[in-house]
Amino acid sequence: MRRILPFLAIALTAPAAAQGGPGAFTIAETGESFATLDQALVAAKPRGEFTWSTILIAPGVYRQCAVQEWGKTIFRARQPGTVVFDGTACEGKAVLVLRGRGAEVDGIVFRNIRVPDGNGAGIRSEIGDLTVKNAMFLDSQEGILGGVGGNQRIIIEYSTFAGLGQCDETPDCAHSIYLANKGQITVRNNRFERGRGGHYVKLRTPRVDITDNSFDDTRGRKTNYMIDLSEGGTGVISGNNFVQGRDKENHSALISVAPEARTYSSAGLRIVNNSASLSPGDTRNPAFVADASRERLAIGANRLGPGIRPFEQR
């Protein structure tokens, strides 16, 4: 059964327009309010590099963006799903470009983000740990994009990704989520649907936790893998529900392990308790897991519908 996140209806009824007013962005810890997100970030800076500052955002549709260059910041909608950032990207990258010590994004909707290099995202993570929850990423080139050299920890949960990805606008594809680090990436309790190219989840990291997500590709167009662990990796892929669509650019597999490189060990990667099926009328015969790591994966019991092969070695 497909899950609908509880804030979905709220998000689609957000106020029609708002550019910001005196009380649009409030620093919770001080009570100061500002008309733009940039102003709020500047005002919070004196609180210190290691102190969390919470910016509360009033309901509205904002054509703003911001770059976090310091400290730890929580970007939180006062009412989940009623804060919409629409169509504006900073530095030709994203609505939120994050390169502080840490960030949390809670209850915000990002939509219609496009930039010339094809990677317009709701969030661009460049430095620092990141938690994203109760968010929506809609009809953009990319949902969340980031590449970090250190032991970053990223958690993405209770969020919706719809109408994302592209392989037609630029030579390289964009994806719903595309992240790389040398720490751990957790993707849990999210919904992915209506992809427009690329992969739904593409990760380059040594350790993953991808659990209890819904991947509905029935209205996808020119999509590729549901999960792509591009350079290998271990951890767990469990409790997910996959529905493979008919309009695929690459329909050969649902989960791909180490298709580009064997940078990280995949030994013991646990893939268990997932369910997968083909959309009505799809007569192709994809592999549930396609493995190029040449290591021993821990593939347990998964519920696979007709036409889906359990495993393919590449």
Side-chain angles (χ1 to χ4, degrees):
M1 180 179 294
R2 302 191 325 179
R3 283 177 296 165
I4 302 297
L5 298 178
F7 60 85
L8 180 59
I10 298 174
L12 297 180
T13 59
Q19 279 294 342
F25 302 93
T26 301
I27 302 173
E29 291 81 8
T30 66
E32 299 172 278
S33 293
F34 303 90
T36 71
L37 184 52
D38 266 337
Q39 291 170 345
L41 280 171
V42 170
K45 187 173 183 178
R47 301 192 72 248
E49 280 285 321
F50 300 96
T51 301
W52 283 97
S53 293
T54 305
I55 299 176
L56 301 175
I57 308 174
V61 178
Y62 298 93
R63 291 175 179 87
Q64 301 184 23
C65 59
V67 180
Q68 178 215 20
E69 296 185 335
W70 58 273
K72 299 180 177 182
T73 307
I74 298 171
F75 302 88
R76 176 173 292 155
R78 286 188 177 273
Q79 183 179 351
T82 65
V83 171
V84 180
F85 284 92
D86 188 342
T88 301
C90 282
E91 300 182 342
K93 295 177 180 178
V95 175
L96 296 179
V97 180
L98 305 175
R99 45 179 178 256
R101 292 188 178 273
E104 180 179 310
V105 179
D106 185 359
I108 297 174
V109 180
F110 303 88
R111 70 186 186 195
N112 302 324
I113 312 301
R114 316 198 88 77
V115 300
D117 76 357
N119 287 308
I123 297 173
R124 180 77 165 258
S125 177
E126 296 186 348
I127 300 175
D129 292 345
L130 172 64
T131 297
V132 178
K133 56 187 178 183
N134 305 316
M136 298 186 77
F137 299 84
L138 307 174
D139 302 315
S140 302
Q141 290 166 325
E142 203 119 29
I144 303 175
L145 173 63
V148 177
N151 295 323
Q152 184 191 39
R153 295 180 66 86
I154 294 179
I155 299 172
I156 302 166
E157 59 186 0
Y158 301 106
S159 296
T160 294
F161 297 79
L164 305 168
Q166 62 83 18
C167 291
D168 298 329
E169 300 174 43
T170 55
D172 296 323
C173 292
H175 316 277
S176 296
I177 292 176
Y178 185 12
L179 293 167
N181 66 28
K182 296 187 182 301
Q184 176 166 330
I185 297 171
T186 298
V187 180
R188 62 190 178 205
N189 291 296
N190 301 288
R191 179 175 176 78
F192 297 88
E193 62 180 6
R194 197 166 48 83
R196 290 295 175 260
H199 309 301
Y200 284 98
V201 175
K202 181 178 177 72
L203 305 179
R204 301 179 187 273
T205 187
R207 188 162 187 85
V208 302
D209 182 343
I210 305 172
T211 51
D212 298 321
N213 302 284
S214 170
F215 295 83
D216 183 354
D217 192 40
T218 54
R219 292 191 294 154
R221 178 173 56 83
K222 298 183 178 180
T223 53
N224 288 282
Y225 303 132
M226 307 285 197
I227 298 172
D228 175 31
L229 304 185
S230 304
E231 300 179 50
T234 192
V236 61
I237 299 174
S238 178
N240 302 287
N241 180 48
F242 302 91
V243 180
Q244 175 97 309
R246 298 177 63 180
D247 188 358
K248 307 284 291 184
E249 183 177 88
N250 185 341
H251 56 77
S252 63
L254 281 72
I255 299 170
S256 182
V257 180
E260 298 179 29
R262 301 172 191 168
T263 307
Y264 306 114
S265 172
S266 300
L269 173 65
R270 193 157 58 93
I271 304 174
V272 63
N273 196 32
N274 302 282
S275 63
S277 61
L278 302 178
S279 60
D282 190 348
T283 58
R284 297 180 178 123
N285 188 220
F288 180 56
V289 178
D291 175 44
S293 74
R294 304 290 176 176
E295 295 187 280
R296 186 168 183 173
L297 310 184
I299 301 178
N302 296 284
R303 297 175 296 280
L304 306 182
I308 299 179
R309 296 175 288 119
F311 183 79
E312 177 182 293
Q313 186 79 61
R314 293 185 174 177

